[in-house]
mmCIF file of all heavy atoms in Angstrom:
data_model
loop_
_atom_site.group_PDB
_atom_site.id
_atom_site.type_symbol
_atom_site.label_atom_id
_atom_site.label_comp_id
_atom_site.label_asym_id
_atom_site.label_seq_id
_atom_site.Cartn_x
_atom_site.Cartn_y
_atom_site.Cartn_z
ATOM 1 N N ILE B 304 110.941 95.200 81.796
ATOM 2 C CA ILE B 304 109.521 95.082 81.435
ATOM 3 C C ILE B 304 109.392 94.514 80.021
ATOM 4 O O ILE B 304 108.502 93.714 79.744
ATOM 5 C CB ILE B 304 108.770 96.423 81.606
ATOM 6 C CG1 ILE B 304 107.279 96.162 81.823
ATOM 7 C CG2 ILE B 304 108.871 97.345 80.406
ATOM 8 C CD1 ILE B 304 106.865 96.094 83.216
ATOM 9 N N ILE B 305 110.320 94.887 79.121
ATOM 10 C CA ILE B 305 110.253 94.358 77.748
ATOM 11 C C ILE B 305 110.492 92.843 77.744
ATOM 12 O O ILE B 305 109.944 92.115 76.928
ATOM 13 C CB ILE B 305 111.265 95.076 76.818
ATOM 14 C CG1 ILE B 305 110.968 96.580 76.757
ATOM 15 C CG2 ILE B 305 111.222 94.499 75.407
ATOM 16 C CD1 ILE B 305 111.954 97.370 75.916
ATOM 17 N N LEU B 306 111.316 92.369 78.699
ATOM 18 C CA LEU B 306 111.622 90.935 78.736
ATOM 19 C C LEU B 306 110.519 90.105 79.398
ATOM 20 O O LEU B 306 110.483 88.885 79.250
ATOM 21 C CB LEU B 306 112.949 90.704 79.478
ATOM 22 C CG LEU B 306 114.194 91.204 78.745
ATOM 23 C CD1 LEU B 306 115.434 90.970 79.598
ATOM 24 C CD2 LEU B 306 114.357 90.504 77.397
ATOM 25 N N THR B 307 109.610 90.783 80.133
ATOM 26 C CA THR B 307 108.602 90.033 80.883
ATOM 27 C C THR B 307 107.678 89.146 80.029
ATOM 28 O O THR B 307 107.461 87.990 80.391
ATOM 29 C CB THR B 307 107.791 90.987 81.788
ATOM 30 O OG1 THR B 307 108.714 91.654 82.652
ATOM 31 C CG2 THR B 307 106.762 90.258 82.613
ATOM 32 N N PRO B 308 107.136 89.645 78.871
ATOM 33 C CA PRO B 308 106.304 88.749 78.069
ATOM 34 C C PRO B 308 107.052 87.488 77.597
ATOM 35 O O PRO B 308 106.458 86.409 77.490
ATOM 36 C CB PRO B 308 105.892 89.613 76.866
ATOM 37 C CG PRO B 308 105.956 91.002 77.368
ATOM 38 C CD PRO B 308 107.121 91.022 78.318
ATOM 39 N N PHE B 309 108.362 87.612 77.357
ATOM 40 C CA PHE B 309 109.164 86.430 77.018
ATOM 41 C C PHE B 309 109.157 85.445 78.165
ATOM 42 O O PHE B 309 108.938 84.257 77.984
ATOM 43 C CB PHE B 309 110.641 86.820 76.841
ATOM 44 C CG PHE B 309 110.958 87.245 75.471
ATOM 45 C CD1 PHE B 309 111.205 88.564 75.205
ATOM 46 C CD2 PHE B 309 111.008 86.323 74.453
ATOM 47 C CE1 PHE B 309 111.486 88.973 73.944
ATOM 48 C CE2 PHE B 309 111.297 86.723 73.176
ATOM 49 C CZ PHE B 309 111.530 88.060 72.923
ATOM 50 N N ALA B 310 109.439 85.971 79.372
ATOM 51 C CA ALA B 310 109.511 85.110 80.554
ATOM 52 C C ALA B 310 108.178 84.398 80.747
ATOM 53 O O ALA B 310 108.148 83.184 80.989
ATOM 54 C CB ALA B 310 109.858 85.941 81.777
ATOM 55 N N SER B 311 107.050 85.135 80.559
ATOM 56 C CA SER B 311 105.765 84.476 80.796
ATOM 57 C C SER B 311 105.499 83.420 79.730
ATOM 58 O O SER B 311 105.008 82.336 80.049
ATOM 59 C CB SER B 311 104.630 85.494 80.884
ATOM 60 O OG SER B 311 104.463 86.141 79.664
ATOM 61 N N THR B 312 105.853 83.709 78.473
ATOM 62 C CA THR B 312 105.646 82.710 77.418
ATOM 63 C C THR B 312 106.467 81.450 77.693
ATOM 64 O O THR B 312 105.974 80.323 77.562
ATOM 65 C CB THR B 312 106.025 83.292 76.035
ATOM 66 O OG1 THR B 312 105.351 84.542 75.875
ATOM 67 C CG2 THR B 312 105.623 82.369 74.908
ATOM 68 N N LEU B 313 107.709 81.654 78.139
ATOM 69 C CA LEU B 313 108.579 80.515 78.456
ATOM 70 C C LEU B 313 107.992 79.680 79.599
ATOM 71 O O LEU B 313 107.891 78.455 79.507
ATOM 72 C CB LEU B 313 109.980 81.038 78.832
ATOM 73 C CG LEU B 313 111.015 79.979 79.188
ATOM 74 C CD1 LEU B 313 111.345 79.131 77.963
ATOM 75 C CD2 LEU B 313 112.296 80.636 79.719
ATOM 76 N N VAL B 314 107.564 80.370 80.657
ATOM 77 C CA VAL B 314 107.004 79.662 81.815
ATOM 78 C C VAL B 314 105.723 78.923 81.437
ATOM 79 O O VAL B 314 105.507 77.781 81.845
ATOM 80 C CB VAL B 314 106.755 80.663 82.978
ATOM 81 C CG1 VAL B 314 105.907 80.042 84.057
ATOM 82 C CG2 VAL B 314 108.082 81.140 83.544
ATOM 83 N N ILE B 315 104.887 79.553 80.588
ATOM 84 C CA ILE B 315 103.649 78.907 80.149
ATOM 85 C C ILE B 315 103.973 77.653 79.338
ATOM 86 O O ILE B 315 103.360 76.600 79.521
ATOM 87 C CB ILE B 315 102.775 79.889 79.334
ATOM 88 C CG1 ILE B 315 102.186 80.958 80.271
ATOM 89 C CG2 ILE B 315 101.650 79.158 78.603
ATOM 90 C CD1 ILE B 315 101.528 82.121 79.555
ATOM 91 N N ALA B 316 104.987 77.742 78.462
ATOM 92 C CA ALA B 316 105.386 76.581 77.650
ATOM 93 C C ALA B 316 105.818 75.431 78.569
ATOM 94 O O ALA B 316 105.397 74.282 78.387
ATOM 95 C CB ALA B 316 106.517 76.958 76.698
ATOM 96 N N ILE B 317 106.637 75.759 79.569
ATOM 97 C CA ILE B 317 107.116 74.716 80.493
ATOM 98 C C ILE B 317 105.956 74.135 81.293
ATOM 99 O O ILE B 317 105.853 72.916 81.468
ATOM 100 C CB ILE B 317 108.199 75.290 81.440
ATOM 101 C CG1 ILE B 317 109.439 75.701 80.628
ATOM 102 C CG2 ILE B 317 108.577 74.272 82.512
ATOM 103 C CD1 ILE B 317 110.463 76.507 81.413
ATOM 104 N N ALA B 318 105.036 75.007 81.734
ATOM 105 C CA ALA B 318 103.901 74.534 82.535
ATOM 106 C C ALA B 318 103.001 73.605 81.719
ATOM 107 O O ALA B 318 102.572 72.558 82.214
ATOM 108 C CB ALA B 318 103.107 75.721 83.055
ATOM 109 N N PHE B 319 102.749 73.955 80.442
ATOM 110 C CA PHE B 319 101.959 73.066 79.580
ATOM 111 C C PHE B 319 102.640 71.703 79.483
ATOM 112 O O PHE B 319 101.995 70.666 79.601
ATOM 113 C CB PHE B 319 101.811 73.656 78.169
ATOM 114 C CG PHE B 319 100.673 74.634 78.004
ATOM 115 C CD1 PHE B 319 100.875 75.852 77.380
ATOM 116 C CD2 PHE B 319 99.393 74.325 78.446
ATOM 117 C CE1 PHE B 319 99.828 76.762 77.195
ATOM 118 C CE2 PHE B 319 98.337 75.217 78.272
ATOM 119 C CZ PHE B 319 98.561 76.436 77.649
ATOM 120 N N TYR B 320 103.943 71.711 79.301
ATOM 121 C CA TYR B 320 104.691 70.461 79.164
ATOM 122 C C TYR B 320 104.566 69.608 80.420
ATOM 123 O O TYR B 320 104.281 68.414 80.369
ATOM 124 C CB TYR B 320 106.158 70.776 78.859
ATOM 125 C CG TYR B 320 106.969 69.534 78.590
ATOM 126 C CD1 TYR B 320 106.884 68.896 77.355
ATOM 127 C CD2 TYR B 320 107.782 68.983 79.577
ATOM 128 C CE1 TYR B 320 107.602 67.742 77.096
ATOM 129 C CE2 TYR B 320 108.514 67.828 79.326
ATOM 130 C CZ TYR B 320 108.411 67.216 78.085
ATOM 131 O OH TYR B 320 109.112 66.074 77.843
ATOM 132 N N ARG B 321 104.763 70.259 81.576
ATOM 133 C CA ARG B 321 104.672 69.541 82.849
ATOM 134 C C ARG B 321 103.296 68.960 83.094
ATOM 135 O O ARG B 321 103.152 67.947 83.764
ATOM 136 C CB ARG B 321 105.015 70.493 83.997
ATOM 137 C CG ARG B 321 106.475 70.851 84.032
ATOM 138 C CD ARG B 321 106.955 70.783 85.461
ATOM 139 N NE ARG B 321 108.377 71.005 85.510
ATOM 140 C CZ ARG B 321 108.933 71.914 86.291
ATOM 141 N NH1 ARG B 321 108.171 72.658 87.090
ATOM 142 N NH2 ARG B 321 110.234 72.057 86.307
ATOM 143 N N GLN B 322 102.274 69.654 82.565
ATOM 144 C CA GLN B 322 100.907 69.165 82.764
ATOM 145 C C GLN B 322 100.544 68.091 81.734
ATOM 146 O O GLN B 322 99.403 67.657 81.663
ATOM 147 C CB GLN B 322 99.914 70.329 82.670
ATOM 148 C CG GLN B 322 100.058 71.298 83.825
ATOM 149 C CD GLN B 322 99.098 72.481 83.745
ATOM 150 O OE1 GLN B 322 98.362 72.657 82.783
ATOM 151 N NE2 GLN B 322 99.115 73.298 84.775
ATOM 152 N N GLY B 323 101.513 67.711 80.908
ATOM 153 C CA GLY B 323 101.295 66.660 79.920
ATOM 154 C C GLY B 323 100.598 67.165 78.666
ATOM 155 O O GLY B 323 100.137 66.374 77.850
ATOM 156 N N ASP B 324 100.488 68.498 78.533
ATOM 157 C CA ASP B 324 99.845 69.064 77.351
ATOM 158 C C ASP B 324 100.931 69.395 76.329
ATOM 159 O O ASP B 324 101.327 70.532 76.164
ATOM 160 C CB ASP B 324 99.046 70.307 77.763
ATOM 161 C CG ASP B 324 98.193 70.861 76.620
ATOM 162 O OD1 ASP B 324 98.407 70.461 75.463
ATOM 163 O OD2 ASP B 324 97.327 71.697 76.914
ATOM 164 N N ARG B 325 101.400 68.354 75.654
ATOM 165 C CA ARG B 325 102.537 68.544 74.744
ATOM 166 C C ARG B 325 102.207 69.433 73.578
ATOM 167 O O ARG B 325 103.046 70.167 73.084
ATOM 168 C CB ARG B 325 102.986 67.184 74.196
ATOM 169 C CG ARG B 325 103.542 66.339 75.300
ATOM 170 C CD ARG B 325 104.663 65.504 74.802
ATOM 171 N NE ARG B 325 105.197 64.758 75.927
ATOM 172 C CZ ARG B 325 105.713 63.562 75.845
ATOM 173 N NH1 ARG B 325 105.774 62.981 74.673
ATOM 174 N NH2 ARG B 325 106.175 62.965 76.901
ATOM 175 N N ARG B 326 100.938 69.349 73.116
ATOM 176 C CA ARG B 326 100.560 70.132 71.946
ATOM 177 C C ARG B 326 100.718 71.631 72.232
ATOM 178 O O ARG B 326 101.347 72.358 71.479
ATOM 179 C CB ARG B 326 99.117 69.810 71.564
ATOM 180 C CG ARG B 326 98.663 70.607 70.379
ATOM 181 C CD ARG B 326 97.386 70.080 69.812
ATOM 182 N NE ARG B 326 96.338 69.958 70.831
ATOM 183 C CZ ARG B 326 95.047 69.842 70.529
ATOM 184 N NH1 ARG B 326 94.661 69.802 69.282
ATOM 185 N NH2 ARG B 326 94.150 69.729 71.477
#
Side-chain angles (χ1 to χ4, degrees):
Chain B
I304 205 94
I305 300 177
L306 291 178
T307 302
F309 272 108
S311 65
T312 309
L313 180 66
V314 167
I315 289 169
I317 295 169
F319 275 132
Y320 185 78
R321 289 224 175 127
Q322 292 179 355
D324 187 346
R325 294 215 177 148
R326 179 167 53 162

